[in-house]
Amino acid sequence: MKEILLNDGRKLPIVGFGTYKAKEQDGVDAVATAIKNGYTLIDTASIYGNEEAVGKGIKKSGIDREELFITTKLWRECLSYEETKIELEKSLERLAVDYIDLYLIHWPANAKNYDNWQQANADSWRAMEELQAEGKIKSIGVSNFFQEHLEALLKTAKVTPSVNQIEFHPGYWQQELTEYCQKQNIVIEAWSPLGKAVVFDNEVLTSIATKHNKSVAQVCLRWVIQHNVIAIPKSTTPKRIIENLEIFDFELTEDEMSSIDALPKMGFSGEMPNSWPDRVK
Ligand SMILES: NC(=O)c1ccc[n+]([C@@H]2O[C@H](COP(=O)([O-])OP(=O)(O)OC[C@H]3O[C@@H](n4cnc5c(N)ncnc54)[C@H](OP(=O)(O)O)[C@@H]3O)[C@@H](O)[C@H]2O)c1
């Protein structure tokens, strides 16, 4: 599979496996099925409550730990130097591994939930830099950081985030933020790359899918990776888990890419990193 080079010299596959809402036995089976069918990048988070299930799915797959790229995330209510170190240990224990490949600050601290949001993000980041130097984390990154959060973090960071995992799908792809990050050599990872399945009836997408004899889900994922962005689709349905990897035998034309780029806003989660917990339309 095509890989993307991170700014720390490590590489990640361009398609990974999302696990939000894949819990308990469903989560175990989905992760094992995904790995057996070729996924090596697995995305979880402490807040998903499924790190144990993900760990069991990895064991069940029988794959060597070194073959995998395990991502997990530090929840936004735990942003301090001390809590970051404690939370990382808890994630290692729940996943039953002794290092994490990619550890992300899940959401930035913002002015609504921290008196000094810049300091809260910077303190967690300093802890993550130390954990990386100790070898407990291979790569460190962020998620849902707007440019303002990144600029503030970069004032004190010794290590530039390798990844920013953001909402990115047809109908909501944060073009300016993506361009800013790519210029800074920060790789974008797309969460909800299928727009949580709500974009599937769109006529532009269905007609492109028909033309290529592919599903709309495959068109969404192909569009994501042709932007040089990592896609992490989630499914607990074996047929779809496999289908979501079958995207390397076709290519979208420039016109098709542009027409998907230009789709009106749809499928947006409403979650804004700088105003959480409020949602917007
Ligand atoms: N950093 C963050 O703040 C953040 C936020 C949200 C998500 N994420 C990560 O990103 C991952 C993906 O996002 P997501 O789970 O929100 O949404 P998604 O991957 O865009 O969509 C998942 C939905 O699409 C369905 N689906 C999957 N493949 C399909 C296919 N080929 N055909 C038809 N339907 C299909 C799934 O159903 P079935 O499972 O029933 O098959 C599920 O309902 C998450 O699992 C999580 O790891 C991160």
Side-chain angles (χ1 to χ4, degrees):
M1 186 187 302
K2 186 185 166 192
E3 293 177 314
I4 289 211
L5 182 64
L6 304 182
N7 60 20
D8 60 13
R10 291 170 50 83
K11 289 176 186 164
L12 289 180
I14 192 121
V15 180
F17 188 65
T19 67
Y20 179 48
K21 292 189 176 161
K23 281 189 158 185
E24 299 172 4
Q25 196 56 42
D26 271 0
V28 176
D29 294 341
V31 169
T33 302
I35 294 171
K36 283 182 187 157
N37 284 287
Y39 292 83
T40 53
L41 168 58
I42 312 293
D43 185 87
T44 181
S46 61
I47 197 69
Y48 300 169
N50 67 355
E51 287 174 314
E52 277 183 20
V54 169
K56 284 182 189 163
I58 290 169
K59 282 242 157 61
K60 186 176 171 188
S61 76
I63 198 170
D64 283 347
R65 164 71 184 93
E66 295 70 38
E67 303 290 316
L68 294 178
F69 305 89
I70 302 174
T71 302
T72 193
K73 315 185 193 85
L74 172 69
W75 187 231
R76 58 186 164 193
E77 287 160 13
C78 308
L79 295 176
S80 72
Y81 177 84
E82 291 77 17
E83 282 171 289
T84 302
K85 295 214 164 173
I86 293 167
E87 289 299 309
L88 186 268
E89 289 301 328
K90 287 189 198 162
S91 286
L92 290 174
E93 199 169 311
R94 287 190 292 254
L95 282 157
V97 293
D98 52 15
Y99 67 89
I100 300 295
D101 293 275
L102 177 62
Y103 197 52
L104 307 177
I105 297 181
H106 201 147
W107 289 84
N110 67 45
K112 283 198 175 167
N113 56 356
Y114 284 84
D115 290 337
N116 185 340
W117 61 266
Q118 293 91 338
Q119 193 63 47
N121 289 331
D123 287 346
S124 278
W125 191 253
R126 185 162 48 87
M128 285 166 62
E129 289 172 336
E130 290 179 10
L131 291 162
Q132 183 184 36
E134 288 166 30
K136 289 187 172 176
I137 308 171
K138 301 288 185 196
S139 297
I140 55 178
V142 296
S143 179
N144 300 301
F145 270 48
F146 280 165
Q147 185 168 334
E148 71 211 53
H149 304 116
L150 282 164
E151 282 170 353
L153 190 75
L154 290 171
K155 283 186 186 156
T156 54
K158 293 195 188 108
V159 176
T160 299
S162 55
V163 161
N164 190 10
Q165 184 182 114
I166 61 172
E167 183 169 359
F168 185 112
H169 52 77
Y172 188 75
W173 61 290
Q174 307 194 70
Q175 182 174 8
E176 275 180 30
L177 177 59
T178 297
E179 282 167 6
Y180 167 77
C181 287
Q182 290 180 335
K183 267 195 203 118
Q184 303 286 324
N185 208 8
I186 298 170
V187 166
I188 294 288
E189 269 191 335
W191 65 254
S192 293
L194 307 172
K196 290 196 169 87
V198 302
V199 303
F200 286 178
D201 291 336
N202 177 270
E203 276 177 19
V204 172
L205 293 173
T206 51
S207 76
I208 293 173
T210 306
K211 207 175 113 204
H212 288 280
N213 202 17
K214 288 283 175 184
S215 69
V216 175
Q218 289 170 320
V219 168
C220 291
L221 297 172
R222 185 72 213 181
W223 170 81
V224 171
I225 68 168
Q226 281 187 221
H227 274 297
N228 227 18
V229 164
I230 296 174
I232 47 168
K234 172 265 171 186
S235 177
T236 41
T237 313
K239 185 178 156 289
R240 293 173 174 172
I241 292 174
I242 295 166
E243 176 186 322
N244 293 343
L245 270 192
E246 292 172 340
I247 59 167
F248 298 100
D249 56 356
F250 76 113
E251 194 167 351
L252 299 174
T253 64
E254 267 181 40
D255 282 352
E256 289 167 340
M257 287 296 289
S258 304
S259 60
I260 301 175
D261 289 352
L263 286 174
K265 198 176 200 175
M266 59 178 168
F268 173 44
S269 67
E271 295 177 1
M272 293 293 277
N274 56 2
S275 67
W276 177 84
D278 298 339
R279 279 177 187 259
V280 296
K281 291 234 170 175

